[in-house]
Amino acid sequence: MSTENYDPCYPDQLVVHRYLPVWAKLPAFASKPAFIWADDDDTAGATSYATLTYSQLDSAVEIMASGLLATLRRADTVLVLASPGLLLVKLLFACQRAGLTAVPIIPPDPSKPGSPPHAHLLRAVSQTQPTAAIAEARHIDTVANSAAVLRSLRWLSVEEVEQQGGEIVPGVTSFKGCEPDDVYLIQYTSGATAVPKPVVITAGAAAHNVRAARRAYEMHPGSVVVSWLPQYHDCGLMFLLLTVVAGATCVLASPAAFLRRPRLWLELVTEFKATCTPVPSFALPLVIRRGIRSPKPLQLGSLENLILINEPIYKACVDEFVAAFSRDGLRAASVSPSYGLAENCTFVSTSWRSRCVVNIPSYKKLLPSARLTRMADEEAETEIEIVVVDEETGEPVEDGVEGEIWVSSPSNASGYLGHPSASREVFCARLPGKTACSVRTGDRGVIAGAERYLYVVGRIADVLALDAGGGVHAHYVETAAFDSAPDRQRGGCIAAFTTAPATSVSLVVVVAELLKEGGGGDYVGLCEGIRRAAWEEEGVRVGWVLLVKSGVVPKTTSGKMRRGAARDMLLAGKIPILFEARYDDGESSVAEEMEFAAIATTAYGSASRRLRLQSFL
């Protein structure tokens, strides 16, 4: 697949910020909305909009870049703290035009000094050693005084930067901005399987990545994107760059607004006739559960790309969503299962192709995230190379055999900041007979079928080792657990792991969050149903089931499960337990166990009293 498009309509630039003045000078684009911010007021039942045209964005970026360089020097590292919105968009592009290295961080709540966002901010300050931090004045007054290391930072207010920028003559600038080999972004990994690591990304790699995505999704100036993803990293940030590279329009909303009212996402697609929208796969069942009924009609026929991220992507989940909204015009052909990771900037691949007229197949209940066959009219060599290899030898495996996914492309990041050994291990892998480096993704995948579809089956770190040898990916056990009682558990909020990682002698644990409306009833039966489903569906013996309140299971900012963190919390006694059941292998009958279970239900609400049932499996 060629990732470039040399049509004159796309004035390809070496770095992304250089697209802005090109569009701003064209009469057809100057007054065209580049970004629209949707502010959803749930209490008032209305959504207001703020628009930033290409001309306005280019001028604002020029002013901010000038203001930044009045205080900072080119190549300085700067923390960027701003709430989701148009201000953050302008700041990110201004840092690139000023030639600075941006470290976008979500502003933490100062009233929660021990919260994960606050800890991440302190980690970022320690690892990136920023010259300064830029934020809105209201954040500076609160966040800067929450820790000694933050008080010692040089803080710049956005208002101050804009004032220092002064009047800018259009088209005239005294600075060149980032060059392709300059580091423009420190993007943290999600932290799903380990502590988030700072990924070093050059401006050239980012530009290549979004051009590859533009080609893959066939985006153009007529495209309209709707996104509520976090704008600080990964897919949310990539779609800001992708919008500008394509000359498209992007409608933005906050993640909090979506979680508060999931139907907002589809209402925005309807309102703006969106052609493209990226969402994590967990959003689909959430919308079905909380966003079906509304007096506002939906019109989803404009969607060409419903981009699904956050593997694994279950076919049944997608089929249910398409069936639920097909009456509103949603087409199955618009579903675009995709794959990406921070170590490759973000985008890696998608299995979607507009010329595809057949149903996409599945493998072990999952949809594919790439199609590796080349079309007859695509003569250029693939620039993002995907190979599945044996995890131990590094040798490519045959199609149909699971292995680790390796990715090689000009989009590859430069490494982890301050982690030379981890950088060598992850970013310097080489296939036999190849000189180019590949990124070891840590994800397991398999290539299958005549079209050579790539299926991302799970993370290596999350494989549950079994006594009989081999292993099962944790998400299969979690899905089986949820399906045993979907009316009582929170979808996407169930974690399965072993008490000791990567060993076959540890206990398999399932931690399940309960719905508020499902917080009562037969807890013994619920635990027993989870255990039975894991055995019948996946052949996994669960030895410990814990029922917890909503919000207990740790997740990343993009909604990925942090199973290792859940294990650490459990072993440290930091998980508040509503009810738990431990099981021993034995020969007792089902009736004996159920009789004992009925007596033991008094254990509810006590973390110290533990229910012990004899296994009938």
Side-chain angles (χ1 to χ4, degrees):
M1 178 184 70
S2 174
T3 58
E4 298 294 341
N5 185 328
Y6 295 101
D7 189 294
C9 187
Y10 299 95
D12 283 331
Q13 305 292 324
L14 295 177
V15 292
V16 175
H17 77 88
R18 295 181 188 171
Y19 285 83
L20 276 177
V22 172
W23 298 128
K25 292 176 184 177
L26 294 175
F29 285 84
S31 59
K32 175 185 176 179
F35 295 96
I36 299 172
W37 176 253
D39 188 5
D40 187 60
D41 188 346
D42 191 39
T43 58
T47 304
S48 60
Y49 303 101
T51 300
L52 195 61
T53 68
Y54 274 96
S55 177
Q56 292 169 338
L57 177 58
D58 184 53
S59 297
V61 167
E62 193 84 351
I63 291 172
M64 284 188 171
S66 176
L68 288 168
L69 290 180
T71 306
L72 304 172
R73 294 181 299 176
R74 192 176 183 277
D76 279 349
T77 299
V78 57
L79 288 179
V80 178
L81 291 93
S83 301
L86 299 183
L87 177 60
L88 179 57
V89 174
K90 292 185 286 187
L91 280 172
L92 291 173
F93 283 107
C95 286
Q96 189 175 139
R97 185 171 294 186
L100 303 173
T101 299
V103 187
I105 299 291
I106 181 173
D109 185 343
S111 66
K112 301 177 180 178
S115 64
H118 191 268
H120 181 55
L121 173 58
L122 297 179
R123 182 189 304 117
V125 172
S126 173
Q127 293 177 335
T128 65
Q129 297 292 305
T131 304
I134 180 170
E136 300 166 83
R138 61 189 179 94
H139 285 146
I140 295 177
D141 294 338
T142 54
V143 176
N145 294 317
S146 61
V149 68
L150 299 178
R151 286 192 293 271
S152 64
L153 264 181
R154 182 178 185 183
W155 289 85
L156 305 175
S157 71
V158 177
E159 296 83 356
E160 176 186 350
V161 167
E162 290 179 318
Q163 289 175 359
Q164 289 178 331
E167 294 294 329
I168 297 294
V169 179
V172 178
T173 181
S174 58
F175 43 91
K176 296 185 292 185
C178 284
E179 297 294 337
D181 292 333
D182 292 337
V183 176
Y184 106 96
L185 179 70
I186 303 296
Q187 172 176 256
Y188 275 84
T189 58
S190 65
T193 58
V195 175
K197 297 184 183 69
V199 180
V200 179
I201 297 176
T202 64
H208 174 272
N209 196 245
V210 292
R211 288 198 301 268
R214 182 194 69 194
R215 172 83 177 193
Y217 297 127
E218 297 183 0
M219 289 187 63
H220 49 80
S223 299
V224 178
V225 179
V226 165
S227 173
W228 49 264
L229 299 176
Q231 300 164 24
Y232 306 97
H233 61 84
D234 282 358
C235 197
L237 175 57
M238 189 267 283
F239 264 87
L240 301 182
L241 307 182
L242 180 55
T243 296
V244 168
V245 168
T249 296
C250 183
V251 182
L252 298 168
S254 73
F258 168 78
L259 293 176
R260 184 175 63 248
R261 195 168 69 86
R263 190 179 173 89
L264 170 66
W265 163 44
L266 298 182
E267 290 175 0
L268 292 176
V269 170
T270 299
E271 175 74 18
F272 292 93
K273 296 181 174 57
T275 60
C276 177
T277 183
V279 294
S281 53
F282 72 77
L284 304 189
L286 183 63
V287 171
I288 289 177
R289 185 166 64 86
R290 294 177 50 199
I292 289 288
R293 296 178 181 177
S294 174
K296 296 181 180 179
L298 297 174
Q299 295 180 356
L300 309 178
S302 61
L303 270 182
E304 299 171 1
N305 282 293
L306 173 54
I307 299 171
L308 299 179
I309 58 176
N310 275 25
E311 69 286 339
I313 302 171
Y314 278 81
K315 183 178 187 300
C317 174
V318 174
D319 289 345
E320 182 183 13
F321 186 82
V322 171
F325 292 98
S326 60
R327 63 180 180 275
D328 300 306
L330 181 64
R331 294 170 291 112
S334 68
V335 176
S336 308
S338 300
Y339 177 53
L341 67 160
E343 287 84 350
N344 194 59
C345 289
T346 292
F347 175 79
V348 172
S349 62
T350 179
S351 60
W352 177 85
R353 185 177 289 152
S354 63
R355 286 163 284 184
C356 176
V357 294
V358 297
N359 292 328
I360 298 179
S362 63
Y363 171 86
K364 292 186 177 179
K365 305 178 183 179
L366 306 178
L367 289 178
S369 297
R371 188 190 311 226
L372 303 184
T373 54
R374 288 172 52 190
M375 299 292 290
D377 60 344
E378 290 176 345
E379 299 178 357
E381 292 186 1
T382 301
E383 290 191 350
I384 298 181
E385 183 179 8
I386 301 171
V387 181
V388 177
V389 306
D390 183 280
E391 298 155 24
E392 301 298 328
T393 67
E395 296 277 350
V397 299
E398 296 182 356
D399 287 5
V401 178
E402 288 188 18
E404 184 179 14
I405 301 171
W406 287 14
V407 177
S408 176
S409 83
S411 296
N412 287 168
S414 302
Y416 299 125
L417 181 67
H419 293 73
S421 59
S423 295
R424 285 191 297 271
E425 180 181 355
V426 173
F427 292 90
C428 298
R430 283 189 172 87
L431 294 166
K434 297 278 189 176
T435 58
C437 289
S438 295
V439 166
R440 299 189 61 172
T441 67
D443 294 320
R444 296 203 78 191
V446 61
I447 298 171
E451 290 277 359
R452 303 194 73 233
Y453 284 104
L454 170 72
Y455 299 85
V456 183
V457 293
R459 294 178 177 82
I460 296 172
D462 290 334
V463 173
L464 304 176
L466 303 180
D467 294 339
V472 173
H473 290 283
H475 63 82
Y476 285 116
V477 175
E478 293 160 359
T479 301
F482 174 74
D483 289 343
S484 70
D487 57 330
R488 300 187 65 189
Q489 303 172 83
R490 294 188 70 206
C493 299
I494 301 172
F497 51 87
T498 54
T499 51
T503 67
S504 59
V505 295
S506 58
L507 209 61
V508 176
V509 182
V510 172
V511 180
E513 290 187 8
L514 297 180
L515 292 169
K516 292 180 180 179
E517 55 270 25
D522 179 12
Y523 293 99
V524 173
L526 178 57
C527 292
E528 196 62 39
I530 289 173
R531 176 172 161 82
R532 183 184 297 108
W535 173 254
E536 293 177 350
E537 293 291 327
E538 305 300 335
V540 174
R541 294 182 184 273
V542 175
W544 193 358
V545 180
L546 301 99
L547 306 180
V548 298
K549 291 182 179 180
S550 173
V552 170
V553 176
K555 290 186 175 184
T556 69
T557 56
S558 55
K560 297 178 182 177
M561 195 71 65
R562 299 176 60 209
R563 300 177 180 92
R567 176 196 300 114
D568 295 341
M569 290 174 60
L570 176 63
L571 298 182
K574 295 182 179 179
I575 288 187
I577 302 170
L578 289 177
F579 184 85
E580 60 179 326
R582 291 199 187 193
Y583 302 88
D584 294 324
D585 291 331
E587 302 297 332
S588 61
S589 68
V590 176
E592 290 173 335
E593 292 180 30
M594 292 301 101
E595 180 180 358
F596 177 75
I599 300 172
T601 54
T602 55
Y604 169 70
S606 172
S608 61
R609 298 189 61 185
R610 291 175 174 171
L611 170 63
R612 213 168 179 80
L613 300 180
Q614 295 298 317
S615 171
F616 60 88
L617 301 178

